[in-house]
Amino acid sequence: MAEQENIDNFFKQKFEGYSVPPPEGLWNNISNIISAQQSNRKVIVGWRWLWAAAVLLPMTLGISVYLNNTNTNENTQSIAPSKTIVINSNPEIKTIDKNVKLNESQSITSIASKTKSNPAHTTTTHQQHNNQNVKSINNQYNNSQHSDNNFLSVLKSKSAHIKSISIKNPKLKTLKSNFIAQNYLPINKPIEEPSRDSRITLSGLVLPSYSYRTVNSQAINNSLPDEKGINTITGGIAINYAHSTRWSIETGAYISQAGQSIAMNMPASVNPLSRINKTFGAATRNQVSLSTNSLGAISYKNNVSENQYIPNSKNSDFSAAMASPIDFQNTTSDVTIKQLLSYIEIPLVLRYNLMQNPFKLSLATGISSNILTNNQAILTQEGQSNTIGETENIKPLSFSTRLGIGIDYPIFSNFYFHLEPTVKYFINPINSDNTNQFKPYSFGVYTGIAYSF
Amino acid sequence: MSRDLTEIILNSQKGIQSAQHDLFELLAPKMFGVCIQYTTNRMEAEDCLQEGFIKVFTKIDEFRFEGSFEGWVRRIMVNTTIEHYRKNKRFADKEDIETAAALSIKQANGQDNIQAEELIELIQKLPAQYKMAFTLYAIEGYSHDEISKQLGISIGTSKSNLSRARKWLQIRIPRMETTTIKKSVEL
């Protein structure tokens, strides 16, 4: 046993500090692999960070807003009692007692008045005071619902009266100035100042995008028509106000679109509108609807008949259209109906700047009000498109969310080239009957020019 | 730990390649020696050295200066050779003690003059399962419990492999007497 252990020690001793020069070129291999790994890791970390930010940003904003509101209420409630000024104007005493609370914790500290007053009077409450102005201040300060701004305005408006009161005790003069100074500071707590330049940015933007929808309907799975997304275009202006170097708020007005298209492959000698009516079952003649249309029934205009369709006079020369109406009876070509909805979109967007140089990179998230302005069902056949009616039961107002990553590249002076890949999604179904719960979404890239004032 | 080494480690943690190169230059010879002890040939040892250093530079952020850096790197190297052994276990040398009986160290000048290179040559020929048990136990100071967990074997197998490794080595150093070994250890 001992001999065996000695073998162990023998080997251990012989191998102590044993070293062999590594083969040449090994470091180059290791170096290349590490460099590749590091660059890959940076990319992965970058993407993870962006995704995390995209998820966390809206949450953080929500929590921040909530906490700010909560803090405001708490501050109002805690500061209010500390601002009580009690002035004893009892003529017998002929002096002023003040009970001002000024310590850092805003707790109430009674300051013993070293005046000639009767001690009994130093504990008087504000109900005993006959100065109406001071009472007014007390009432306002003691109101827990009172806001800081109101407090300031009251303080300013009444300060003249306070000044007019003769303060004989020099300590009280100091207390008064401290009172004003210390109560101003927390209220006007310095906030992160934005850079002095480029507070407001105006942008003209265009958003070509692909728009489609989510639905909540089993019927769509057995759809007769082939529903597809459509290419839409959104355009408008945006105005951005920088609250700080990091945070900015943005609004504007856009004309945006949503909808879908329905492609129907028509067998020969089948009237497309009849086909549509048949699928609707007991539909009246002026209904062009598909039982499986996820957006909603299409009600068509009077100039659409079962066998012939006269192009919409708004979209083409009416007399020419009358001369050669499209005869569905004899057509064998495919038909596409596009259900297109146009909105005026008013967004409210919060933007967080991730970096400033060499270009601005920001995350944007927000909510938009979408006001319906136009509703068209456009039938396309044999290369000719005409409005045949509109989709029924569309809400006049809908709300959507958006999330994007903005890039502002400086071109010259205060002009920037703006690119913003964006996802938009409607929060609520846009059809008022909620049959299929049609919620449009879109992917696109805001592209345009921004100018910073 | 010297200030220079600390600085090199810190710079390596920042990903500065020149510092990483300095660390490699500083530790590679010793670590190559470690890898050679645990592998069956030089090529396998080179593979382990490369993999080990890649792990070192990948995980260097995890080093908290709470112990010897060289020890930390050595541990990574040993673990790398263990992983290598486990991956190639089924191809491991099945040579048993009897078939390897012909191998021995030529000791013309006595046991004291046996060089590490000769022992390395011998230990590399030791069947892999015996070699792992012996080097982990005798050189690294692992317990049988640790060895069994690292190699995925039972504690009994670990003890058995160690015993056979010792016997195998003793056969190949026939003139190595207990007294001589003791003397060598005392030196």
Side-chain angles (χ1 to χ4, degrees), chain A residues 299-331:
Chain A
S299 63
Y300 64 87
K301 295 182 178 178
N302 291 332
N303 58 357
V304 177
S305 66
E306 185 169 348
N307 296 324
Q308 287 188 327
Y309 166 64
I310 300 168
N312 193 331
S313 60
K314 289 179 185 174
N315 296 341
S316 61
D317 186 314
F318 185 73
S319 57
M322 286 294 288
S324 56
I326 296 170
D327 185 353
F328 285 131
Q329 193 71 46
N330 298 316
T331 187

Side-chain angles (χ1 to χ4, degrees), chain A residues 108 262 304:
Chain A
I108 298 173
I262 308 165
V304 177

